[in-house]
Amino acid sequence: MPVSRRGFLTASAGSAAAALVAGPTAVPARATGPRRPFGRYGSPAARLTPATLYVHPGGAGDVTTVRDAVAAADGPGHTLVIAPGTYRQTLAVDPARTGMTWIGASEDARDVVIVYDNAAGTPKPGGGTYGTTGSATATVQADGFTARWITFANDWLRADHPGVTGTQAVALKVQGDRSAFHHCRFLGHQDTLYADTMALGTVARQYFAHCHVEGDVDFVFGRATAVFAHCRFRTLTRADLPGAPYGFVFAPSTARTTPLGYLVTRSRVDGDAPDGFYKLARPWVPSSDPTARPMLTVRDTRLGPGIDAAAPYADMSSAHPWQSMLFAEYRNTGPGAAVTVPENRPRLTPEQARAHTRRTWLGDWRPV
């Protein structure tokens, strides 16, 4: 029996079984108590810097919502320290708010949850629907954004909306250059994490370290130059489908003018789906960029049995076969990495692999 999105928000990211047993019981924050809701990160009475704002849903901070904090952080270089809580709202960080940092005060991403439930097919109040981009719970367009110990979630469920065909429901869309996420969670189903750029021809370097990402269809997608290091990608089981494939982990849409796409290193892909029910990736060539040449390298990563080892890649469109894209693997392990059909597993040579590294992808940027 699959764990519902809403039940999983407050359960351990590492154990679906625990979520079934424990239900939606909130995980206690690691802050030291009600007198220190911001842990070691100060308070409105002992502000870390003049540009630090404190968010507390019960009123112990400067504001009670993350949205209000973003609005108050006018200009570059602000830090938001966010107390434990579930913040049900949509958010947007515009390009002018550069160098912003969000910190989950308890230093446990399970405690600070930013969540909403729009999907691409959700009707907008003024008419029409939100579309994929508009469905995002949080949209970050500013350069130099950093988040630590935050959960970004979209808990829209197909089962609740059987008549909706636009089932894309984004938890986070990030478009800025030098965007870093440490120890964060990204929870959704279809199109969970949209790692993208502001425009065609614009390079956006993004770094995801020690993060948890989960979903089913194309749940990491976009045209950013992104590194995923020491991350877990969790594939969800689906009660609405009778058989394979349940979905696709990656769907890069790298522009031909952008030299590098997605790099996954020292990570793992696993989940509760039956063996072979997931494809590792398929290329997305959007109608807005018909010359896109999606790029994905997965290296030094454990691929669980849920990945179809014989045919790990698929086409999104027959006009753009995956074999014509820049997909590659190197030194992966696990049952999903078994090379049973060699022509379906494009592999780097050791010499080629030396160029497929975090340093190459991020250039002169060293995220900390």
Side-chain angles (χ1 to χ4, degrees):
M1 180 179 178
V3 181
S4 77
R5 170 62 39 242
R6 295 185 182 92
F8 195 74
L9 286 175
T10 52
S12 166
S15 175
L20 283 172
V21 173
T25 303
V27 177
R30 296 198 299 174
T32 54
R35 294 185 180 180
R36 294 188 61 193
F38 303 107
R40 62 189 179 97
Y41 294 99
S43 69
R47 208 173 295 275
L48 290 183
T49 70
T52 301
L53 294 170
Y54 294 87
V55 185
H56 188 280
D62 297 305
V63 293
T64 58
T65 71
V66 182
R67 179 188 289 171
D68 287 345
V70 172
D74 190 15
H78 282 80
T79 296
L80 308 187
V81 179
I82 308 171
T86 297
Y87 299 86
R88 180 164 286 276
Q89 55 196 216
T90 58
L91 301 166
V93 179
D94 64 53
R97 289 169 165 79
T98 57
M100 180 176 280
T101 298
W102 294 5
I103 298 173
S106 71
E107 301 183 26
D108 187 333
R110 294 171 297 179
D111 296 338
V112 177
V113 179
I114 300 169
V115 58
Y116 209 72
D117 61 348
N118 283 333
T122 301
K124 295 172 66 174
T129 57
Y130 282 99
T132 300
T133 289
S135 74
T137 296
T139 301
V140 176
Q141 297 180 323
D143 292 343
F145 181 87
T146 300
R148 298 179 185 274
W149 305 297
I150 307 285
T151 292
F152 299 88
N154 190 318
D155 64 355
W156 189 90
L157 297 174
R158 297 184 186 96
D160 294 345
H161 307 275
V164 175
T165 56
T167 57
Q168 302 88 344
V170 178
L172 173 72
K173 180 172 185 178
V174 55
Q175 298 173 278
D177 186 35
R178 293 174 289 106
S179 300
F181 298 83
H182 302 269
H183 302 280
C184 289
R185 295 196 302 165
F186 307 93
L187 309 182
H189 284 273
Q190 182 171 352
D191 292 9
T192 304
L193 176 56
Y194 197 169
D196 204 48
T197 73
M198 285 293 289
L200 277 174
T202 300
V203 173
R205 295 164 296 175
Q206 298 167 9
Y207 182 61
F208 300 84
H210 303 281
C211 289
H212 174 101
V213 193
E214 68 174 49
D216 47 43
V217 177
D218 304 333
F219 62 92
V220 181
F221 73 112
R223 64 175 176 238
T225 297
V227 174
F228 300 88
H230 305 282
C231 291
R232 182 195 182 192
F233 302 90
R234 180 173 179 263
T235 55
L236 300 177
T237 191
R238 296 183 63 175
D240 59 316
L241 293 180
Y246 277 174
F248 315 85
V249 181
F250 302 99
S253 59
T254 319
R256 190 171 289 269
T257 55
T258 301
L260 300 170
Y262 288 173
L263 171 65
V264 180
T265 179
R266 301 187 183 279
S267 297
R268 60 183 170 128
V269 180
D270 58 20
D272 303 321
D275 292 1
F277 268 51
Y278 270 86
K279 304 294 187 181
L280 185 60
R282 62 178 180 173
W284 176 32
V285 179
S287 58
S288 59
D289 183 18
T291 66
R293 197 177 185 196
M295 179 184 188
L296 167 71
T297 296
V298 180
R299 62 171 299 168
D300 301 298
T301 289
R302 188 182 192 280
L303 306 181
I307 296 300
D308 182 355
Y313 303 102
D315 300 338
M316 189 175 292
S317 165
S318 59
H320 306 287
W322 71 263
Q323 293 90 343
S324 65
M325 305 304 168
L326 301 175
F327 287 178
E329 301 179 49
Y330 184 68
R331 279 195 325 201
N332 295 321
T333 60
V339 181
T340 58
V341 184
E343 59 267 31
N344 288 343
R345 308 302 298 243
R347 284 161 289 167
L348 299 173
T349 66
E351 182 179 2
Q352 290 170 331
R354 284 194 283 271
H356 291 244
T357 64
R358 165 182 150 161
R359 181 177 293 272
T360 301
W361 252 245
L362 301 183
D364 61 358
W365 175 45
R366 300 289 182 266
V368 294

